[in-house]
Amino acid sequence: MATAWRRRSAAYLLVLPVVLWLAVFFVVPFFVRFSLSLQTGDLVSGFRQTFHWSVYPNLLSAYHDQLVRSVWYAGAATIATILLGYPAAYWIAFYGGRRKSTYLFLLLLPFFVTFVLRTVAWQFLLGDNGLLLGPLHDHHVVSAGFHVLATSWAVIGGLAYNYLPFTVLPIYVALERIDRRLIEAAADLYAARTATFLRIVLPLSIPGVFAAVLLTFVPATTDYVEAAILGGPGQTMIGNIIQTLYLTNADYPGASALSVVVTGALLVFVLLYARVLGTRDVFRVTAA
């Protein structure tokens, strides 16, 4: 009895730091924002609790387009990263040989530079007179009115570029965990490479794809850097609206209400995603 109690106590103690971290940095701030969202006032006279519930329908009506655009951009960027990242992870896992660590390091090397600087670099590359479009304009390969910046493609491309490692790494881990004897058995049974991939490799790597979707879609939905640097007035995302309400308009209740809506929607998405697809394999791949 005493041994079982000590084992349970050890398990609770091991998980206690994570619980405290979530409580301090997620649960408490969430309820503080929720309380602030229902207050009214301003910086001069202060804010007081008035349970101003109408702030939610008013803000959803005012910024509905930015919410939908954020989901669309994040979804498109997630699909792009999977289409780009899966072949790269597959090649490294199955054909990387002894240089797998080197290839993964090279993949991560650009990300030793800060997030904002990487995005600003793309602004120089994609500008009308930049390294990519400048020569094309000079040689009349594209029309003078053709531009990439301030379009939705620029924002989606920036999101896909910055979140690509969050897609490649979990897929690579899932591919690495596949027992190679299964593939050898398929070859011994004269299975074609396409059939082996579709019936063995792809199903067993799905937990990595699920983890990649979570690690890419969730932060991309609330991102505001790409839309601010690579986009224009017509590409603002919900993160840009929250930033403006907080830092420019000092509308703390409005910004808090929008952040509560976004956080709540993403939590529902993650819970439904985990409920439908299961969590054990996904979290195992993510932790690895």
Side-chain angles (χ1 to χ4, degrees):
M1 179 67 86
T3 303
W5 183 84
R6 280 198 295 272
R7 287 178 179 174
R8 284 198 298 270
S9 301
Y12 290 134
L13 287 175
L14 288 174
V15 79
L16 182 61
V18 176
V19 174
L20 290 176
W21 188 90
L22 285 174
V24 173
F25 295 107
F26 180 75
V27 177
V28 172
F30 179 82
F31 283 102
V32 169
R33 281 181 292 150
F34 180 67
S35 174
L36 181 58
S37 69
L38 301 177
Q39 298 179 19
T40 54
D42 52 51
L43 286 178
V44 177
S45 58
F47 296 93
R48 60 187 181 86
Q49 187 58 260
T50 57
F51 297 103
H52 188 232
W53 292 98
S54 62
V55 66
Y56 283 95
N58 293 339
L59 287 172
L60 288 175
S61 176
Y63 300 113
H64 172 265
D65 290 343
Q66 286 79 5
L67 278 169
V68 173
R69 187 179 299 128
S70 298
V71 174
W72 152 239
Y73 284 178
T78 302
I79 293 173
T81 56
I82 290 176
L83 293 177
L84 292 171
Y86 195 100
Y90 180 89
W91 188 88
I92 295 173
F94 285 93
Y95 300 101
R98 291 184 298 178
R99 295 188 176 89
K100 292 179 181 178
S101 299
T102 303
Y103 296 137
L104 290 175
F105 174 76
L106 292 176
L107 178 70
L108 296 174
L109 188 60
F111 297 87
F112 284 78
V113 181
T114 63
F115 191 91
V116 174
L117 288 180
R118 293 199 308 271
T119 308
V120 171
W122 275 103
Q123 188 184 40
F124 285 108
L125 290 173
L126 300 177
D128 290 346
N129 297 316
L131 293 177
L132 295 179
L133 282 186
L136 297 179
H137 280 135
D138 294 339
H139 293 86
H140 305 289
V141 177
V142 296
S143 64
F146 179 81
H147 62 273
V148 176
L149 288 181
T151 66
S152 58
W153 297 110
V155 180
I156 294 171
L159 289 171
Y161 167 72
N162 278 311
Y163 289 99
L164 185 62
F166 296 98
T167 302
V168 173
L169 293 179
I171 294 176
Y172 168 78
V173 172
L175 291 169
E176 270 290 288
R177 295 170 60 88
I178 295 176
D179 191 340
R180 299 304 192 262
R181 290 175 297 181
L182 295 174
I183 299 174
E184 293 172 1
D188 291 341
L189 295 173
Y190 302 104
R193 289 187 175 183
T194 304
T196 302
F197 174 78
L198 293 177
R199 297 189 178 186
I200 297 177
V201 177
L202 184 60
L204 292 178
S205 65
I206 287 299
V209 177
F210 293 161
V213 170
L214 286 179
L215 293 175
T216 304
F217 180 78
V218 172
T221 303
T222 56
D223 193 283
Y224 61 92
V225 175
E226 273 79 8
I229 296 176
L230 302 177
Q235 285 77 42
T236 53
M237 299 173 66
I238 197 62
N240 302 102
I241 300 300
I242 294 173
Q243 181 195 31
T244 302
L245 291 178
Y246 258 123
L247 301 180
T248 305
N249 300 349
D251 183 5
Y252 298 154
S256 298
L258 275 182
S259 64
V260 167
V261 169
V262 174
T263 305
L266 289 175
L267 277 176
V268 171
F269 165 74
V270 172
L271 292 175
L272 289 176
Y273 193 84
R275 178 74 175 175
V276 172
L277 302 175
T279 57
R280 199 175 75 174
D281 289 339
V282 173
F283 289 156
R284 186 185 301 168
V285 170
T286 306

